[in-house]
Amino acid sequence: MGKIPFGPTYEEMLYPDKAPSEIRQKAIKARKEDEMDPVNLFNITWKDENNQVRKIVLPKELTGVEANIVVMLGTDFPSGAHKVGPAYSMLMEASVDGIVEPGKNTILGPSTGNFGIGTAYISNLMGYKAIVPMPDNMSKERYERIQQYGGELDLTPGTESDVILTVYRTIELKKDPINYSLDQFELMSNYRFHRYVTGNSAIEAVEGVGNGRIACYAVCVGTAGTFAAGDEMKKVFPECKLVALEPYECPTLTKDARGQHRIEGIGDKLCSLIQ
Ligand SMILES: Cc1ncc(COP(=O)(O)O)c(C=O)c1O
């Protein structure tokens, strides 16, 4: 077996304080000072420097309902979105399994953007070249961010609801064995990250809020990776209801219908293996 790549385990993403303390301290410093330092892989977690889940409890004056609504915040993940978690998990599992090697393989991150940003970012930190097949009509910021992290764009026609074309393009690119795709719509590492890391972080996030139980988990679905956290919640709170949200204009799950919308990251007009 080759060299084990540098980066956190699932356990260390859920409990970042379980990483060796020298690495943890370096990671906390690098988060503020140098986002391209590979030690930032140890910042792939829902927790802050004090090991608390980043969250807000919405004020009742705002929600108008008695139930406590806890929102978990993904903006402080390296690269700015929680999608870096599944991207890292997919690439790390493939690296540990010896399927890909830094400097040898090119990593593909088919997506509508956030996952592509995550793919470009972690590929850079882990020593891989990245190509992001994505629709040509997404926000400018997404393209800039991917390129800023050294990712190459491979654009297909359309918007959010045309993600299937990026999948077709990826099938073409995969004919070259140098290319390895982080197939977020089907790889179980997407499920594993969210079930274990996001699910257990959510369970911690409600400690001390109301009765400390989760009555309902509501999440917008793209690949439904984030939705997989609900399986962990249901194990601990069997009464928990799981609600998948999708755009009204593209009600694939509710009405088996398709349409266009501008909510980036969700409502991809397809039903993933996880769903
Ligand atoms: C902002 C945002 N929210 C939600 C999602 C959906 O997450 P998932 O693919 O885990 O269903 C995405 C996916 O890219 C996203 O970018």
Side-chain angles (χ1 to χ4, degrees):
M1 199 168 113
K3 201 171 135 232
I4 298 282
F6 177 74
T9 60
Y10 284 112
E11 192 71 358
E12 288 165 339
M13 289 190 274
L14 175 57
Y15 303 112
D17 54 328
K18 286 195 180 176
S21 88
E22 190 195 340
I23 290 186
R24 171 85 168 132
Q25 290 318 313
K26 276 192 185 156
I28 290 171
K29 194 161 176 277
R31 199 172 80 76
K32 294 181 197 126
E33 293 176 5
D34 179 10
E35 77 164 333
M36 299 319 290
D37 184 329
V39 79
N40 278 291
L41 294 170
F42 284 84
N43 290 323
I44 299 179
T45 174
W46 290 98
K47 311 259 177 83
D48 65 14
E49 295 174 17
N50 301 314
N51 307 309
Q52 301 300 307
V53 176
R54 294 188 172 95
K55 65 170 187 200
I56 45 174
V57 183
L58 296 180
K60 295 198 169 111
E61 295 78 6
L62 185 71
T63 65
V65 295
E66 271 309 302
N68 289 300
I69 300 180
V70 181
V71 180
M72 285 168 68
L73 305 174
T75 47
D76 278 319
F77 273 88
S79 88
H82 76 305
K83 293 292 291 190
V84 75
Y88 166 75
S89 303
M90 287 176 219
L91 184 53
M92 185 49 117
E93 284 201 18
S95 302
V96 170
D97 288 345
I99 298 169
V100 289
E101 245 180 70
K104 183 171 155 205
N105 293 98
T106 295
I107 305 304
L108 311 176
S111 77
T112 57
N114 263 348
F115 183 74
I117 292 171
T119 300
Y121 179 73
I122 50 125
S123 297
N124 187 319
L125 266 49
M126 291 171 76
Y128 293 91
K129 179 183 168 198
I131 299 178
V132 179
M134 67 182 278
D136 62 4
N137 215 352
M138 306 306 294
S139 58
K140 185 167 134 277
E141 293 75 13
R142 290 187 166 201
Y143 303 126
E144 285 174 356
R145 203 75 182 266
I146 288 165
Q147 288 171 318
Q148 174 197 323
Y149 292 145
E152 195 180 297
L153 295 167
D154 187 338
L155 302 181
T156 55
T159 59
E160 181 61 50
S161 290
D162 301 302
V163 75
I164 192 72
L165 298 179
T166 71
V167 176
Y168 294 154
R169 177 77 189 129
T170 301
I171 292 169
E172 282 304 306
L173 293 171
K174 277 204 293 193
K175 288 182 182 159
D176 181 345
I178 289 295
N179 293 335
Y180 178 79
S181 174
L182 305 184
D183 288 328
Q184 55 163 339
F185 289 93
E186 55 193 75
L187 284 179
M188 286 305 284
S189 25
N190 184 10
Y191 179 92
R192 271 191 280 281
F193 173 81
H194 282 301
R195 170 142 192 191
Y196 191 66
V197 181
T198 306
N200 284 300
S201 298
I203 291 164
E204 275 186 44
V206 301
E207 276 169 19
V209 181
N211 65 2
R213 299 183 73 83
I214 302 175
C216 177
Y217 173 54
V219 63
C220 298
V221 289
T223 64
T226 318
F227 190 64
D231 284 350
E232 198 63 18
M233 296 177 209
K234 251 192 136 42
K235 199 174 82 183
V236 179
F237 310 117
E239 73 279 19
C240 179
K241 299 250 184 310
L242 309 182
V243 179
L245 307 171
E246 61 181 359
Y248 178 81
E249 298 84 354
C250 186
T252 308
L253 299 177
T254 39
K255 295 190 179 155
D256 194 17
R258 287 127 203 260
Q260 298 293 333
H261 66 92
R262 295 291 315 180
I263 315 172
E264 299 196 359
I266 64 163
D268 290 328
K269 221 195 254 177
L270 49 81
C271 189
S272 71
L273 277 184
I274 298 174
Q275 284 161 315

Coordinates of all heavy atoms in Angstrom, one line a residue, residues 169-249:
R169 N -21.4 14.5 -19.6 CA -20.1 15.0 -20.0 C -19.0 14.2 -19.2 O -18.0 13.8 -19.7 CB -20.0 16.5 -19.7 CG -18.6 17.1 -20.0 CD -18.4 17.3 -21.4 NE -17.0 17.7 -21.7 CZ -16.2 17.1 -22.6 NH1 -16.6 16.2 -23.3 NH2 -14.9 17.6 -22.7
T170 N -19.3 13.9 -17.9 CA -18.4 13.2 -17.1 C -18.2 11.8 -17.6 O -17.1 11.2 -17.5 CB -18.9 13.2 -15.6 OG1 -19.0 14.6 -15.2 CG2 -17.9 12.5 -14.7
I171 N -19.3 11.2 -18.0 CA -19.2 9.8 -18.5 C -18.2 9.8 -19.7 O -17.3 8.9 -19.8 CB -20.5 9.3 -19.0 CG1 -21.4 9.1 -17.7 CG2 -20.4 8.0 -19.7 CD1 -22.9 8.8 -18.0
E172 N -18.2 10.8 -20.5 CA -17.3 10.9 -21.7 C -15.8 11.1 -21.2 O -15.0 10.4 -21.6 CB -17.6 12.2 -22.5 CG -18.8 12.0 -23.5 CD -18.6 10.8 -24.4 OE1 -17.6 10.8 -25.1 OE2 -19.5 10.0 -24.4
L173 N -15.7 12.0 -20.2 CA -14.3 12.3 -19.7 C -13.7 11.1 -19.0 O -12.5 10.8 -19.0 CB -14.3 13.5 -18.7 CG -14.7 14.8 -19.3 CD1 -14.9 15.9 -18.2 CD2 -13.5 15.3 -20.2
K174 N -14.6 10.2 -18.4 CA -14.1 9.1 -17.6 C -13.6 8.0 -18.6 O -12.9 7.0 -18.1 CB -15.2 8.5 -16.8 CG -15.4 9.2 -15.5 CD -16.0 8.4 -14.4 CE -17.5 8.1 -14.6 NZ -18.2 7.5 -13.5
K175 N -13.8 8.1 -19.9 CA -13.2 7.1 -20.8 C -11.7 7.2 -20.7 O -11.0 6.2 -21.1 CB -13.7 7.4 -22.2 CG -15.2 7.0 -22.3 CD -15.7 7.1 -23.7 CE -17.2 6.8 -23.8 NZ -17.9 7.4 -24.9
D176 N -11.1 8.3 -20.3 CA -9.7 8.4 -20.1 C -9.4 7.9 -18.7 O -9.9 8.6 -17.7 CB -9.2 9.9 -20.3 CG -7.7 10.0 -20.1 OD1 -7.1 9.1 -19.6 OD2 -7.2 11.1 -20.5
P177 N -8.7 6.8 -18.5 CA -8.5 6.3 -17.1 C -7.8 7.2 -16.2 O -7.8 6.9 -14.9 CB -7.7 5.0 -17.4 CG -7.2 5.1 -18.8 CD -8.0 6.0 -19.5
I178 N -7.1 8.2 -16.7 CA -6.4 9.2 -15.8 C -7.5 10.0 -15.0 O -7.3 10.4 -13.8 CB -5.6 10.2 -16.6 CG1 -4.4 9.5 -17.2 CG2 -5.2 11.4 -15.8 CD1 -3.4 9.0 -16.2
N179 N -8.7 10.1 -15.5 CA -9.7 10.9 -14.9 C -10.5 10.1 -13.9 O -11.0 9.0 -14.3 CB -10.7 11.5 -16.0 CG -10.0 12.5 -16.8 OD1 -9.0 13.1 -16.4 ND2 -10.5 12.7 -18.1
Y180 N -10.7 10.6 -12.7 CA -11.5 9.9 -11.7 C -12.6 10.9 -11.2 O -12.3 12.0 -10.9 CB -10.7 9.5 -10.5 CG -11.5 8.8 -9.4 CD1 -11.9 7.5 -9.6 CD2 -11.9 9.5 -8.3 CE1 -12.7 6.9 -8.6 CE2 -12.7 9.0 -7.3 CZ -13.1 7.6 -7.5 OH -13.9 7.1 -6.5
S181 N -13.8 10.4 -11.3 CA -14.9 11.4 -11.0 C -15.4 11.2 -9.5 O -15.7 10.0 -9.1 CB -16.1 11.1 -12.0 OG -17.1 11.9 -11.6
L182 N -15.6 12.3 -8.9 CA -16.3 12.2 -7.6 C -17.8 12.3 -7.9 O -18.4 13.3 -8.0 CB -15.9 13.5 -6.7 CG -14.4 13.6 -6.5 CD1 -14.1 14.8 -5.5 CD2 -13.7 12.4 -5.9
D183 N -18.3 11.1 -8.0 CA -19.7 11.0 -8.5 C -20.7 11.2 -7.3 O -21.2 10.2 -6.7 CB -20.0 9.6 -9.1 CG -19.3 9.5 -10.5 OD1 -19.2 10.5 -11.2 OD2 -18.9 8.4 -10.9
Q184 N -20.9 12.5 -7.0 CA -21.7 12.8 -5.8 C -23.1 12.2 -5.8 O -23.7 12.0 -4.7 CB -21.7 14.3 -5.6 CG -22.2 15.1 -6.7 CD -22.6 16.5 -6.3 OE1 -22.8 16.8 -5.1 NE2 -22.6 17.4 -7.2
F185 N -23.7 12.0 -7.0 CA -25.0 11.5 -7.0 C -25.1 10.0 -6.7 O -26.2 9.5 -6.5 CB -25.7 11.7 -8.4 CG -26.0 13.2 -8.6 CD1 -25.0 14.0 -9.2 CD2 -27.1 13.8 -8.1 CE1 -25.3 15.4 -9.4 CE2 -27.4 15.1 -8.2 CZ -26.4 15.9 -8.9
E186 N -24.0 9.3 -6.6 CA -24.1 7.9 -6.3 C -23.1 7.3 -5.3 O -23.3 6.3 -4.7 CB -24.0 7.0 -7.6 CG -22.7 7.3 -8.4 CD -22.8 6.7 -9.8 OE1 -23.6 7.3 -10.7 OE2 -22.2 5.7 -10.1
L187 N -22.0 8.0 -5.1 CA -21.0 7.4 -4.2 C -21.4 7.4 -2.7 O -21.9 8.5 -2.2 CB -19.6 8.2 -4.3 CG -18.8 7.9 -5.6 CD1 -17.5 8.7 -5.6 CD2 -18.5 6.4 -5.6
M188 N -21.2 6.3 -2.0 CA -21.7 6.2 -0.7 C -20.9 7.1 0.3 O -21.3 7.3 1.4 CB -21.6 4.7 -0.2 CG -22.7 3.9 -0.8 SD -24.4 4.6 -0.5 CE -24.6 4.1 1.2
S189 N -19.7 7.5 -0.1 CA -18.9 8.4 0.8 C -19.6 9.7 1.0 O -19.5 10.3 2.1 CB -17.5 8.6 0.2 OG -17.5 8.5 -1.2
N190 N -20.5 10.1 0.1 CA -21.3 11.3 0.3 C -22.3 11.0 1.4 O -22.4 11.8 2.4 CB -22.1 11.6 -1.1 CG -22.9 12.9 -1.0 OD1 -22.9 13.7 -0.1 ND2 -23.8 13.1 -2.0
Y191 N -22.9 9.8 1.3 CA -23.9 9.4 2.4 C -23.1 9.3 3.7 O -23.6 9.8 4.7 CB -24.5 8.1 2.0 CG -25.4 7.5 3.0 CD1 -26.8 7.8 2.9 CD2 -25.0 6.7 4.0 CE1 -27.7 7.2 3.8 CE2 -25.9 6.2 4.9 CZ -27.2 6.5 4.8 OH -28.1 6.0 5.7
R192 N -22.0 8.6 3.7 CA -21.3 8.4 5.0 C -20.9 9.7 5.7 O -21.1 9.8 6.9 CB -20.0 7.6 4.7 CG -20.2 6.1 4.7 CD -18.8 5.4 4.7 NE -18.2 5.3 3.4 CZ -18.6 4.4 2.5 NH1 -19.5 3.6 2.8 NH2 -18.0 4.4 1.3
F193 N -20.4 10.7 4.9 CA -20.0 12.0 5.5 C -21.2 12.6 6.2 O -21.2 13.0 7.4 CB -19.5 13.0 4.5 CG -19.2 14.3 5.1 CD1 -18.1 14.6 5.8 CD2 -20.2 15.3 5.0 CE1 -17.9 15.9 6.4 CE2 -20.0 16.6 5.6 CZ -18.9 16.8 6.3
H194 N -22.3 12.6 5.5 CA -23.5 13.3 6.1 C -24.2 12.5 7.2 O -24.6 13.0 8.2 CB -24.5 13.7 5.0 CG -24.0 14.9 4.2 ND1 -23.8 16.1 4.8 CD2 -23.7 15.1 2.9 CE1 -23.4 17.0 3.9 NE2 -23.3 16.4 2.7
R195 N -24.3 11.2 7.0 CA -24.9 10.4 8.0 C -24.1 10.5 9.3 O -24.7 10.8 10.4 CB -25.0 8.9 7.6 CG -25.5 8.1 8.8 CD -26.4 7.0 8.4 NE -27.0 6.5 9.7 CZ -27.7 5.4 9.8 NH1 -28.0 4.7 8.7 NH2 -28.2 5.0 10.9
Y196 N -22.8 10.3 9.2 CA -22.0 10.3 10.5 C -21.7 11.7 11.0 O -22.0 12.0 12.1 CB -20.8 9.5 10.3 CG -20.1 9.2 11.6 CD1 -20.7 8.4 12.5 CD2 -18.8 9.8 11.9 CE1 -20.0 8.2 13.8 CE2 -18.2 9.6 13.1 CZ -18.8 8.8 14.0 OH -18.2 8.6 15.3
V197 N -21.1 12.5 10.1 CA -20.6 13.8 10.6 C -21.8 14.8 10.7 O -21.9 15.4 11.8 CB -19.5 14.3 9.6 CG1 -19.0 15.7 10.1 CG2 -18.4 13.3 9.5
T198 N -22.6 15.0 9.7 CA -23.7 16.0 9.7 C -24.8 15.5 10.7 O -25.3 16.3 11.5 CB -24.3 16.2 8.3 OG1 -23.2 16.6 7.4 CG2 -25.3 17.3 8.4
G199 N -25.1 14.2 10.6 CA -26.2 13.7 11.5 C -25.8 13.8 13.0 O -26.6 14.4 13.8
N200 N -24.6 13.4 13.4 CA -24.3 13.5 14.8 C -24.0 14.9 15.2 O -24.3 15.3 16.4 CB -23.1 12.6 15.1 CG -23.5 11.1 15.1 OD1 -24.4 10.7 15.9 ND2 -23.0 10.3 14.2
S201 N -23.6 15.8 14.3 CA -23.4 17.2 14.7 C -24.8 17.8 14.9 O -24.9 18.6 15.8 CB -22.7 18.0 13.5 OG -21.4 17.4 13.3
A202 N -25.8 17.4 14.1 CA -27.1 18.0 14.3 C -27.7 17.5 15.7 O -28.3 18.3 16.4 CB -28.1 17.5 13.2
I203 N -27.4 16.3 16.0 CA -27.9 15.8 17.3 C -27.2 16.5 18.5 O -27.9 16.9 19.4 CB -27.6 14.2 17.4 CG1 -28.5 13.5 16.4 CG2 -27.8 13.7 18.8 CD1 -28.1 12.1 16.1
E204 N -26.0 16.9 18.3 CA -25.3 17.7 19.3 C -25.8 19.1 19.3 O -25.9 19.8 20.4 CB -23.8 17.8 19.0 CG -23.0 16.7 19.6 CD -21.5 16.9 19.4 OE1 -21.0 18.0 19.7 OE2 -20.8 15.9 19.0
A205 N -26.2 19.6 18.1 CA -26.6 21.0 18.0 C -27.9 21.3 18.8 O -28.2 22.5 19.2 CB -26.8 21.4 16.5
V206 N -28.7 20.3 19.0 CA -30.0 20.5 19.7 C -29.9 20.3 21.2 O -30.9 20.5 22.0 CB -31.2 19.7 19.1 CG1 -31.4 20.0 17.7 CG2 -31.0 18.2 19.4
E207 N -28.7 19.9 21.7 CA -28.5 19.7 23.1 C -28.8 21.0 23.8 O -28.3 22.1 23.4 CB -27.1 19.2 23.5 CG -26.9 17.8 23.3 CD -25.4 17.3 23.4 OE1 -24.6 18.1 23.9 OE2 -25.1 16.2 22.9
G208 N -29.7 21.0 24.8 CA -30.0 22.2 25.6 C -31.0 23.1 24.9 O -31.3 24.2 25.4
V209 N -31.5 22.8 23.7 CA -32.5 23.6 23.1 C -33.8 22.8 23.2 O -34.0 21.7 22.8 CB -32.2 23.7 21.6 CG1 -33.3 24.6 20.9 CG2 -30.8 24.3 21.3
G210 N -34.8 23.5 23.9 CA -36.1 22.8 24.1 C -35.9 21.5 24.8 O -35.2 21.5 25.8
N211 N -36.6 20.4 24.4 CA -36.4 19.1 25.1 C -35.2 18.4 24.6 O -35.0 17.2 24.9 CB -37.7 18.3 24.9 CG -38.0 17.9 23.5 OD1 -37.2 18.2 22.6 ND2 -39.1 17.2 23.2
G212 N -34.4 19.0 23.7 CA -33.1 18.4 23.3 C -33.4 17.3 22.3 O -32.4 16.5 22.0
R213 N -34.6 17.2 21.7 CA -34.9 16.1 20.7 C -35.2 16.8 19.4 O -35.5 18.0 19.3 CB -36.1 15.3 21.1 CG -35.9 14.5 22.4 CD -37.0 13.6 22.8 NE -37.1 12.5 22.0 CZ -36.5 11.3 22.2 NH1 -35.6 11.2 23.2 NH2 -36.7 10.3 21.4
I214 N -35.0 16.1 18.3 CA -35.3 16.6 17.0 C -36.6 16.0 16.5 O -36.8 14.8 16.4 CB -34.2 16.3 15.9 CG1 -32.8 16.8 16.4 CG2 -34.5 16.8 14.6 CD1 -31.6 16.4 15.5
A215 N -37.6 16.9 16.4 CA -38.9 16.5 15.9 C -39.0 16.4 14.4 O -39.8 15.6 13.9 CB -40.0 17.4 16.4
C216 N -38.2 17.2 13.7 CA -38.3 17.3 12.3 C -36.9 17.8 11.7 O -36.4 18.7 12.2 CB -39.4 18.2 11.9 SG -39.6 18.4 10.1
Y217 N -36.5 17.2 10.7 CA -35.3 17.6 10.0 C -35.7 18.0 8.5 O -36.2 17.2 7.8 CB -34.3 16.5 9.9 CG -33.0 16.7 9.1 CD1 -32.2 17.8 9.3 CD2 -32.6 15.7 8.1 CE1 -31.1 18.0 8.5 CE2 -31.5 15.9 7.4 CZ -30.7 17.0 7.6 OH -29.5 17.2 6.8
A218 N -35.5 19.3 8.2 CA -35.9 19.7 6.9 C -34.7 20.2 6.1 O -33.9 21.0 6.7 CB -36.9 20.9 7.0
V219 N -34.5 19.7 4.9 CA -33.3 20.1 4.1 C -33.7 20.1 2.6 O -34.5 19.3 2.1 CB -32.2 19.1 4.5 CG1 -32.5 17.6 4.1 CG2 -30.9 19.4 3.9
C220 N -33.0 21.0 2.0 CA -33.2 21.1 0.5 C -32.3 20.0 -0.1 O -31.2 19.9 0.3 CB -32.7 22.5 0.0 SG -33.7 23.8 0.6
V221 N -32.8 19.4 -1.1 CA -32.0 18.3 -1.7 C -31.5 18.5 -3.1 O -32.2 19.1 -3.9 CB -32.8 16.9 -1.7 CG1 -33.0 16.4 -0.3 CG2 -34.1 17.0 -2.4
G222 N -30.2 18.1 -3.2 CA -29.6 18.1 -4.6 C -29.3 16.6 -4.8 O -30.1 15.9 -5.4
T223 N -28.1 16.2 -4.3 CA -27.8 14.7 -4.3 C -28.6 14.0 -3.2 O -28.6 12.8 -3.2 CB -26.3 14.5 -4.1 OG1 -26.0 14.9 -2.7 CG2 -25.5 15.2 -5.1
A224 N -29.1 14.7 -2.2 CA -29.7 14.1 -1.0 C -28.6 13.6 0.0 O -28.9 12.9 0.9 CB -30.7 13.1 -1.3
G225 N -27.4 14.0 -0.2 CA -26.3 13.6 0.7 C -26.6 14.2 2.1 O -26.7 13.5 3.1
T226 N -26.9 15.5 2.1 CA -27.2 16.2 3.4 C -28.4 15.6 4.0 O -28.5 15.5 5.3 CB -27.4 17.7 3.2 OG1 -26.4 18.2 2.3 CG2 -27.3 18.5 4.5
F227 N -29.4 15.1 3.2 CA -30.6 14.5 3.7 C -30.3 13.2 4.5 O -31.0 12.8 5.4 CB -31.5 14.2 2.5 CG -32.9 13.8 2.9 CD1 -33.8 14.6 3.5 CD2 -33.3 12.5 2.5 CE1 -35.1 14.2 3.8 CE2 -34.6 12.1 2.8 CZ -35.5 12.9 3.5
A228 N -29.2 12.6 4.1 CA -28.8 11.3 4.7 C -28.5 11.4 6.2 O -28.7 10.5 7.0 CB -27.5 10.7 4.0
A229 N -28.2 12.7 6.7 CA -28.1 12.9 8.1 C -29.3 12.5 8.9 O -29.3 12.1 10.0 CB -27.8 14.4 8.3
G230 N -30.4 12.6 8.2 CA -31.7 12.2 8.8 C -31.7 10.8 9.3 O -32.4 10.4 10.3
D231 N -31.0 9.9 8.6 CA -31.0 8.5 9.0 C -30.4 8.3 10.4 O -30.8 7.5 11.2 CB -30.2 7.6 8.0 CG -31.0 7.3 6.8 OD1 -32.2 7.7 6.7 OD2 -30.4 6.8 5.8
E232 N -29.4 9.1 10.7 CA -28.8 9.1 12.0 C -29.7 9.7 13.1 O -29.8 9.2 14.2 CB -27.4 9.9 12.0 CG -26.5 9.6 13.1 CD -26.0 8.2 13.1 OE1 -26.1 7.5 12.1 OE2 -25.5 7.8 14.2
M233 N -30.4 10.8 12.7 CA -31.3 11.4 13.6 C -32.5 10.5 14.0 O -32.9 10.4 15.1 CB -31.9 12.7 13.0 CG -30.9 13.7 12.8 SD -31.6 15.2 12.0 CE -30.2 15.8 11.0
K234 N -33.0 9.8 13.0 CA -34.1 8.8 13.2 C -33.7 7.7 14.1 O -34.5 7.1 14.9 CB -34.6 8.3 11.9 CG -35.9 8.9 11.5 CD -36.6 8.1 10.4 CE -38.0 7.8 10.5 NZ -38.9 8.8 11.1
K235 N -32.4 7.3 14.1 CA -31.9 6.2 14.9 C -32.0 6.6 16.4 O -32.4 5.9 17.3 CB -30.4 5.9 14.6 CG -29.9 4.6 15.0 CD -28.5 4.4 14.5 CE -27.5 5.0 15.4 NZ -26.1 4.9 14.9
V236 N -31.7 7.9 16.7 CA -31.6 8.4 18.0 C -33.0 8.9 18.5 O -33.5 8.7 19.6 CB -30.6 9.6 18.2 CG1 -30.6 10.1 19.6 CG2 -29.2 9.0 17.8
F237 N -33.7 9.6 17.5 CA -35.1 10.1 17.8 C -36.1 9.5 16.8 O -36.4 10.1 15.7 CB -35.1 11.6 17.6 CG -34.0 12.3 18.4 CD1 -33.0 13.1 17.7 CD2 -33.9 12.3 19.7 CE1 -32.0 13.8 18.3 CE2 -32.9 13.0 20.4 CZ -32.0 13.7 19.7
P238 N -36.6 8.3 17.1 CA -37.4 7.6 16.1 C -38.6 8.4 15.7 O -39.2 8.1 14.6 CB -37.9 6.3 16.8 CG -36.9 6.2 18.0 CD -36.5 7.5 18.4
E239 N -39.1 9.3 16.5 CA -40.3 10.1 16.1 C -39.9 11.2 15.1 O -40.8 11.9 14.6 CB -40.9 10.8 17.4 CG -40.1 12.0 18.0 CD -38.9 11.6 18.9 OE1 -38.4 10.4 18.8 OE2 -38.5 12.4 19.7
C240 N -38.7 11.4 14.8 CA -38.2 12.5 13.9 C -38.8 12.4 12.5 O -38.6 11.3 11.9 CB -36.7 12.5 13.9 SG -36.0 13.8 12.8
K241 N -39.4 13.4 12.0 CA -39.9 13.4 10.6 C -38.8 14.0 9.7 O -38.1 15.0 10.1 CB -41.1 14.3 10.5 CG -42.3 13.9 11.3 CD -43.4 13.4 10.4 CE -44.7 13.1 11.2 NZ -44.5 12.2 12.4
L242 N -38.6 13.4 8.5 CA -37.6 13.9 7.6 C -38.3 14.5 6.4 O -39.2 13.9 5.8 CB -36.7 12.7 7.1 CG -36.1 11.8 8.2 CD1 -35.2 10.8 7.6 CD2 -35.3 12.7 9.2
V243 N -38.0 15.8 6.1 CA -38.7 16.5 5.1 C -37.6 17.0 4.0 O -36.7 17.7 4.3 CB -39.4 17.7 5.6 CG1 -40.1 18.5 4.5 CG2 -40.4 17.3 6.7
A244 N -37.8 16.5 2.8 CA -37.0 16.9 1.6 C -37.7 18.1 0.9 O -38.8 17.9 0.5 CB -36.7 15.8 0.7
L245 N -37.0 19.2 0.8 CA -37.5 20.4 0.1 C -37.0 20.4 -1.3 O -35.8 20.1 -1.6 CB -37.1 21.6 0.9 CG -37.4 21.7 2.4 CD1 -36.8 22.9 3.0 CD2 -38.9 21.7 2.6
E246 N -37.9 20.8 -2.2 CA -37.4 21.0 -3.6 C -38.1 22.2 -4.2 O -39.2 22.6 -3.7 CB -37.6 19.8 -4.5 CG -39.1 19.4 -4.6 CD -39.3 18.1 -5.5 OE1 -38.3 17.6 -6.0 OE2 -40.4 17.7 -5.6
P247 N -37.5 22.9 -5.2 CA -38.1 24.1 -5.7 C -39.5 23.8 -6.3 O -39.7 22.8 -7.0 CB -37.2 24.5 -6.9 CG -36.0 23.8 -6.7 CD -36.3 22.5 -5.9
Y248 N -40.5 24.7 -6.0 CA -41.8 24.6 -6.6 C -41.8 24.5 -8.1 O -42.6 23.8 -8.7 CB -42.5 25.9 -6.2 CG -44.0 26.1 -6.6 CD1 -45.0 25.4 -6.0 CD2 -44.2 26.8 -7.8 CE1 -46.3 25.6 -6.4 CE2 -45.5 27.0 -8.2 CZ -46.6 26.3 -7.6 OH -47.8 26.4 -8.0
E249 N -40.8 25.2 -8.7 CA -40.8 25.2 -10.2 C -40.2 23.9 -10.8 O -40.2 23.7 -12.0 CB -39.9 26.4 -10.7 CG -40.4 27.7 -10.3 CD -39.9 28.2 -8.9 OE1 -39.3 27.4 -8.2 OE2 -40.2 29.3 -8.6

